[in-house]
């Protein structure tokens, strides 16, 4: 059984929540013609969060680089999603902000340990 540090578990939980919210936004956003960019960003965000979670789980050598990019994309996705008042988009904004924070915090901590 893989033992995770509390910060690793925190990042994984934030990433998984973000993946779910972004996937839901991607599907529901297709119903609204004005959300095209947001739908694209949420799909990209979900994909990158999936990759980041895999890197965290296997303690990959370049995890800090992936987390930095993931934090940036989560920020962009959240910023774009805030433009819309749909419940799904508000949920995506919140989870993307939490994932961004978790990735940035994990990145700062892992960079300090090197």
């Amino acid at each position: 059984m893989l033992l995770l540090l509390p910060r690793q578990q925190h990042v994984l939980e934030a990433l998984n929540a973000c993946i779910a919210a972004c996937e839901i936004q991607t599907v529901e956003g297709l119903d609204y013609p004005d959300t095209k960019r947001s739908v694209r960003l949420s799909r990209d965000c979900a994909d990158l969060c999936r990759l980041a979670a895999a890197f965290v789980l296997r303690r990959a050598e370049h995890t800090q680089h992936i987390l930095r990019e993931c934090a940036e994309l989560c920020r962009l996705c959240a910023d774009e999603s805030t433009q819309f008042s749909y419940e799904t988009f508000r949920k995506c904004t919140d989870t993307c902000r939490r994932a961004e924070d978790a990735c940035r915090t994990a990145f700062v901590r892992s960079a300090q340990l090197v």
Side-chain angles (χ1 to χ4, degrees), residues 12-56:
L12 287 174
E13 288 169 3
L15 290 171
N16 286 326
C18 191
I19 292 165
C22 284
E23 290 291 358
I24 291 168
Q25 178 174 298
T26 296
V27 172
E28 291 190 15
L30 295 174
D31 294 337
Y32 308 107
D34 59 338
T35 63
K36 191 173 186 178
R37 181 169 189 257
S38 189
V39 166
R40 281 193 205 132
L41 282 173
S42 63
R43 180 59 206 212
D44 291 346
C45 188
D47 288 347
L48 189 52
C49 284
R50 235 181 244 98
L51 178 65
F55 270 56
V56 169

Side-chain angles (χ1 to χ4, degrees), residues 45-104:
C45 188
D47 288 347
L48 189 52
C49 284
R50 235 181 244 98
L51 178 65
F55 270 56
V56 169
L57 275 173
R58 67 177 177 249
R59 297 180 179 128
E61 185 176 331
H62 287 87
T63 300
Q64 67 214 30
H65 303 291
I66 297 297
L67 290 175
R68 181 177 30 222
E69 291 303 314
C70 191
E72 178 64 20
L73 187 52
C74 286
R75 184 188 61 76
L76 289 172
C77 187
D79 289 350
E80 182 68 23
S81 296
T82 60
Q83 298 180 47
F84 305 99
S85 61
Y86 312 119
E87 178 62 30
T88 301
F89 285 69
R90 284 196 307 272
K91 174 82 170 167
C92 189
T93 297
D94 292 343
T95 57
C96 282
R97 296 266 188 243
R98 283 195 298 277
E100 175 192 6
D101 182 61
C103 287
R104 288 197 194 286

Side-chain angles (χ1 to χ4, degrees), residues 7 64 67-68 103-114:
R7 75 170 182 265
Q64 67 214 30
L67 290 175
R68 181 177 30 222
C103 287
R104 288 197 194 286
T105 302
F107 167 69
V108 168
R109 287 183 182 159
S110 64
Q112 290 173 346
L113 295 175
V114 175

